[in-house]
Amino acid sequence: MIEKILVANRGEIAVRIMRSCREVGIHCVAVFSEVDRKAMHVRYADEAICIGPAPSNESYLDIDKIIDAAKSTGADAIHPGYGFLSENAMFAERCAKEGIIFIGPSAEAIRIMGDKISARQAVSKNKVPVVPGTDGPITDEDEALNFIHQIGLPVMIKASAGGGGKGMRLVKVENEIKSAIRAARSEAKSAFGNDAIFIEKYIDSPHHIEFQILADQFGNTIHLFERECSVQRRHQKVVEETPSPLMTPELRKEMGKMAVQAAKSVNYYGAGTIEFIVDDNLNYYFLEMNTRLQVEHPITERVVGIDLVKQQINIANGEKLELDQEELRQNGHAIECRIYAEDPDNNFMPSPGLIQHITEPLGLGVRHDGYVYEGYEIPIYYDPLISKLIVWAGTRDEAINRMRRALYSYKITGVKTSIRFLKRIMECPDFRHGNYNTHFIEKNLEFLMKKQDCTSDCEDVAIMTILIDYLDKLEQAQPTRPEGQRGNLWKEYGRRRSLLRL
Ligand code: MV4
């Protein structure tokens, strides 16, 4: 049985994983780079070990250092979180070789799903629909031309080792095909060291819908329904929700079954996600599988009522899944907003720096997964995600209202954040009506970029505090407050308000 877990990650996800560990009585080891000495995950852990300089290659991505840290602290398992080493088959293999439990799937499943061509082949053998495309890699250009003539333009040329939009080319006209193939191949070669490419029919303006799956090491595989992730910008997700406004009960049942079949095609165990694209006629196609816990997992946790990290630990311990597909229900509606340290006014440039003030939203139906605190400095070296704000309510409409309320009471100063942009998404009619696909942000950009003057709940609180503070002082100086003091009061109020830039 696992008694001590090393969390090979940082930021909000490291803290989130350790919270579950603490609840089940497992000791946590944090690893940290030299710039992360004061990071929240280091403070939260039972033990912490410095694993090197700030650049990820020399710390969070250094397999030898992480294995050494696990051995020297006597950790019997490693949770990789997301990003970093979470989808590295070599790392999973190395853990096994060192007698350390990797909290995740087999190295083989990671390897097959990490390559888009082998993933397509594996799942389609198990009757999961994939986008019409080439069965294997494209080896010569004439073969590619022939194929494109069969399925017709437009097509997508994709790198087999790609993901997140890298090494992808949309081809709309015949005379661009050859140059697009060459460009995709050379981009793939330099980005991934692997120039294998394949071709798919282009699905215009799809929805991105993914299914959470859980599987134990005995072949029991279930899905925990879908997440709608179409609100994204340059392949970076911004808002996720569940259930998907597009989904019907019939489609959900069918896609859920296909997600389970996709996972079974590689004898998957652990938590994983099957990504689909869905067109306006509700045709759906397997896109890829993420063989890790995902950023947006909390919305599933809230609606289905389970702790995914706890499930991962149980599976890694060799326990049987105790959840029964037929008993699982989606209860209400959950939405997640990703709060980034970035500047919406400056092309969403990362905005690392010192957190001067943070007031996190609270109240009914609100979950805040973060890691920053007042006086903490967000380093430049890593992902600029500050936190995830997750809300739950009985209906989608109420969940949007609740998210709007929570965003308006979220105050961070010191760094630029995406909060203002997220408020506008909650206020956007297309979002409110569930009328959106992967083109939502570009379609509504003008609306979303518009600034509007609103005083947030938090600002109200700050103003109230100033007023009470000032009234106290006045009262002390002059027990019976004459009416004439009111002018001074408002002058002082205005002065402080402008000092706080409210
Ligand atoms: C596609 C597609 C349309 N047709 N494939 C983008 C990221 C990568 N994982 C696959 N992606 C896409 N593949 C075919 N055949 C459209 C996208 C796509 C997309 C997919 C999911 C979420 C957001 C997206 C934004 C732009 C394009």
Side-chain angles (χ1 to χ4, degrees):
M1 289 294 275
I2 296 170
E3 286 176 9
K4 193 187 262 195
I5 292 176
L6 181 143
V7 179
N9 216 301
R10 64 179 304 284
E12 66 85 20
I13 194 62
V15 177
R16 187 263 166 272
I17 292 163
M18 290 180 197
R19 285 189 172 122
S20 286
C21 292
R22 188 135 303 157
E23 286 180 19
V24 297
I26 291 174
H27 283 262
C28 316
V29 180
V31 290
F32 63 97
S33 73
E34 282 159 18
V35 287
D36 270 347
R37 200 164 291 275
K38 293 181 177 173
M40 184 71 96
H41 74 287
V42 175
R43 297 183 173 187
Y44 193 89
D46 299 295
E47 296 169 62
I49 287 200
C50 183
I51 48 164
S56 303
N57 282 331
E58 298 170 61
S59 49
Y60 298 104
L61 284 172
D62 188 324
I63 293 179
D64 286 332
K65 284 181 183 162
I66 300 224
I67 296 289
D68 283 350
K71 286 182 155 177
S72 72
T73 53
D76 23 48
I78 297 179
H79 195 307
Y82 55 70
F84 294 129
L85 295 169
S86 61
E87 295 180 284
N88 185 316
M90 263 165 33
F91 181 61
E93 253 160 15
R94 179 71 187 280
C95 289
K97 196 180 131 218
E98 303 283 351
I100 300 165
I101 296 171
F102 175 76
I103 303 181
S106 68
E108 197 200 356
I110 297 175
R111 200 162 273 136
I112 295 170
M113 289 304 185
D115 181 275
K116 306 283 163 293
I117 293 172
S118 59
R120 271 173 67 89
Q121 288 168 343
V123 307
S124 51
K125 246 183 238 154
N126 230 4
K127 300 186 178 60
V128 177
V130 295
V131 186
T134 52
D135 289 331
I138 290 295
T139 46
D140 77 55
E141 286 176 9
D142 290 329
E143 185 195 342
L145 279 172
N146 265 337
F147 179 79
I148 291 169
H149 288 140
Q150 279 171 43
I151 62 168
L153 287 164
V155 295
M156 285 280 238
I157 297 168
K158 295 185 175 183
S160 192
K166 258 193 230 133
M168 233 169 50
R169 281 280 186 294
L170 170 60
V171 182
K172 288 181 172 166
V173 291
E174 175 93 28
N175 65 13
E176 285 171 3
I177 296 171
K178 288 195 174 184
S179 65
I181 289 174
R182 280 177 215 146
R185 209 187 272 291
S186 84
E187 194 176 315
K189 182 83 193 167
S190 65
F192 315 112
N194 172 356
D195 71 355
I197 54 161
F198 65 108
I199 299 175
E200 280 181 358
K201 184 175 143 68
Y202 177 64
I203 309 297
D204 192 22
S205 308
H207 281 252
H208 172 143
I209 295 179
E210 58 187 32
F211 274 72
Q212 176 70 52
I213 72 109
L214 273 179
D216 65 21
Q217 299 185 48
F218 309 98
N220 301 304
T221 309
I222 58 169
H223 72 82
L224 294 95
F225 309 105
E226 81 280 10
R227 293 185 287 259
E228 168 67 70
C229 305
S230 298
V231 180
Q232 52 80 46
R233 197 188 149 271
R234 300 204 184 146
H235 305 296
Q236 173 104 277
K237 291 168 189 163
V238 177
V239 177
E240 303 97 348
E241 63 175 315
T242 185
S244 165
L246 188 74
M247 197 56 76
T248 65
E250 297 73 34
L251 183 63
R252 177 175 293 120
K253 209 163 178 167
E254 197 183 314
M255 287 179 73
K257 204 175 125 199
M258 289 302 152
V260 167
Q261 277 175 211
K264 286 194 171 208
S265 75
V266 293
N267 300 313
Y268 197 86
Y269 57 80
T273 300
I274 311 292
E275 281 185 22
F276 295 97
I277 45 178
V278 185
D279 70 18
D280 288 334
N281 299 319
L282 302 188
N283 298 305
Y284 63 91
Y285 310 94
F286 169 88
L287 209 54
E288 50 195 75
M289 178 172 195
N290 299 313
T291 56
R292 59 166 192 275
L293 183 71
Q294 286 192 267
V295 176
E296 60 272 27
H297 75 276
I299 57 173
T300 297
E301 294 188 316
R302 187 60 187 83
V303 160
V304 182
I306 54 137
D307 176 339
L308 280 166
V309 172
K310 195 169 139 188
Q311 294 292 330
Q312 286 186 297
I313 295 169
N314 290 345
I315 292 164
N317 259 324
E319 288 168 27
K320 275 196 170 142
L321 264 185
E322 281 179 0
L323 302 164
D324 177 2
Q325 185 74 69
E326 297 312 311
E327 284 168 17
L328 294 179
R329 294 284 178 275
Q330 289 169 296
N331 174 21
H333 201 97
I335 306 176
E336 172 179 279
C337 282
R338 298 190 187 191
I339 317 298
Y340 288 103
E342 62 184 21
D343 184 1
D345 290 327
N346 187 14
N347 199 27
F348 298 87
M349 280 271 285
S351 168
L354 183 73
I355 303 291
Q356 279 171 352
H357 171 85
I358 177 165
T359 301
E360 292 150 6
L362 292 167
L364 183 63
V366 176
R367 167 175 172 181
H368 182 262
D369 274 25
Y371 78 106
V372 309
Y373 53 87
E374 269 170 32
Y376 174 73
E377 191 167 348
I378 300 175
I380 58 166
Y381 297 93
Y382 315 107
D383 193 84
L385 186 73
I386 297 176
S387 71
K388 304 177 315 203
L389 180 55
I390 302 109
V391 304
W392 177 91
T395 65
R396 183 171 189 271
D397 237 25
E398 290 170 299
I400 295 172
N401 294 342
R402 183 161 285 164
M403 179 60 86
R404 186 169 177 275
R405 181 269 289 177
L407 286 167
Y408 272 93
S409 63
Y410 201 164
K411 188 75 188 167
I412 298 178
T413 60
V415 299
K416 299 273 177 30
T417 79
S418 54
I419 294 173
R420 198 196 80 219
F421 188 69
L422 293 161
K423 289 173 184 167
R424 292 296 283 169
I425 292 177
M426 293 306 124
E427 288 162 359
C428 185
D430 275 351
F431 184 78
R432 173 69 69 170
H433 298 131
N435 172 32
Y436 69 86
N437 56 39
T438 47
H439 291 324
F440 169 75
I441 288 181
E442 53 185 278
K443 181 179 171 228
N444 290 284
L445 201 61
E446 201 184 329
F447 180 94
L448 298 175
M449 292 308 293
K450 206 177 277 171
K451 285 181 198 169
Q452 51 160 39
D453 262 33
C454 270
T455 309
S456 77
D457 296 0
C458 164
E459 286 162 357
D460 289 345
V461 170
I463 291 163
M464 291 291 288
T465 311
I466 291 164
L467 282 171
I468 290 165
D469 201 43
Y470 190 64
L471 282 171
D472 277 351
K473 284 208 182 89
L474 277 181
E475 221 150 320
Q476 273 166 20
Q478 205 167 358
T480 51
R481 196 181 326 131
E483 277 303 290
Q485 291 288 5
R486 203 169 266 184
N488 287 341
L489 175 67
W490 287 109
K491 216 156 79 190
E492 178 65 10
Y493 161 74
R495 194 179 70 80
R496 296 210 190 183
R497 196 184 148 105
S498 72
L499 266 178
L500 282 167
R501 278 172 295 168
L502 293 178

